[in-house]
Amino acid sequence: MKRMAIYPGSFDPFTLGHMDITQRALNLFDHVYIAIGKNKGKDPLFTAEERKIQIENVFRDDSRISVIIFDYLLVDLMKELGTNVIIRGLRAVSDFEMELQMASVNRVLYSSSESVFLMTSDKYSFLSSRMVKEIASMNRENLKKFVPPAVEVELYKKFQS
Ligand code: ADP
């Protein structure tokens, strides 16, 4: 039986930190669904559809990844896909409290759901989508240090004046 997991998030945009977590998840699971939450973040830089295309481009050659958009409860999506595993990334202790809360809520809503927390590489422990957006709005030269090429090119276009 295929071991499947779902990696939900905003991914606005998808960073090398997200990539690191996805690759770690692929060491544990046969298939990973990257699920873009549509309603999270009131004022996204990229639409969910744009983010989906970007992430699909990042994993163009990897059939173990599917990218989906959802705008309802994560646990309902999990039941639909037939997986009970949620992947989340941890950067620092500060991520933990919120993640614990979400994992507990998901377990109340879907008792067999399990949250798997993966620790990012040290070199990405500072990296967030918010930081990438701030840098991109001021200086586009260093973006390749933070995002995959398929995202870099879209950030470049977005902030081109
Ligand atoms: P959300 O709004 O759901 O937090 P994000 O796109 O910000 O969506 O993050 C999705 C997941 O990826 C979260 O579990 C977050 O902790 C994790 N994550 C974000 N950036 C990194 C990073 N640099 N290293 C590891 N995990 C990360």
Side-chain angles (χ1 to χ4, degrees), residues 138-151:
M138 290 179 270
N139 176 341
R140 297 183 304 269
E141 277 155 37
N142 285 314
L143 290 176
K144 60 171 66 63
K145 293 180 179 164
F146 309 120
V147 296
V151 175

Side-chain angles (χ1 to χ4, degrees), residues 13-16 45-46 54-55 57-58 132 136 139-160:
F14 192 84
T15 69
L16 292 179
L45 179 63
F46 293 108
Q54 290 164 15
I55 301 171
N57 281 335
V58 171
V132 167
N139 176 341
R140 297 183 304 269
E141 277 155 37
N142 285 314
L143 290 176
K144 60 171 66 63
K145 293 180 179 164
F146 309 120
V147 296
V151 175
E152 184 194 0
V153 73
E154 295 306 318
L155 276 169
Y156 193 85
K157 281 191 220 159
K158 184 69 89 178
F159 287 103
Q160 215 165 22

Side-chain angles (χ1 to χ4, degrees), residues 10 27 36 44 54 57 68 71 88 107 109 125 160-161:
S10 311
N27 291 332
I36 303 166
Q54 290 164 15
N57 281 335
I68 45 191
D71 60 1
R88 294 289 288 176
R107 197 173 261 170
L109 296 171
S125 59
Q160 215 165 22
S161 48

Side-chain angles (χ1 to χ4, degrees), residues 1-2 4-5 33 76-85 110:
M1 206 173 95
K2 260 191 164 182
M4 298 189 295
Y33 292 96
D76 291 334
L77 176 66
M78 292 168 74
K79 288 176 191 167
E80 200 180 301
L81 295 173
T83 175
N84 67 335
V85 181
Y110 181 22

Side-chain angles (χ1 to χ4, degrees), residues 7-11 17-18 21 40 88-89 91 99 120 124 127:
Y7 179 25
S10 311
F11 309 115
H18 295 131
I21 296 299
K40 285 183 106 187
R88 294 289 288 176
R91 284 162 289 196
E99 293 293 341
T120 187
Y124 301 130
L127 188 53

Side-chain angles (χ1 to χ4, degrees), residues 63-82:
S63 58
R64 297 170 301 167
I65 297 286
S66 308
V67 187
I68 45 191
I69 296 172
F70 71 109
D71 60 1
Y72 44 92
L73 273 182
L74 177 63
V75 292
D76 291 334
L77 176 66
M78 292 168 74
K79 288 176 191 167
E80 200 180 301
L81 295 173

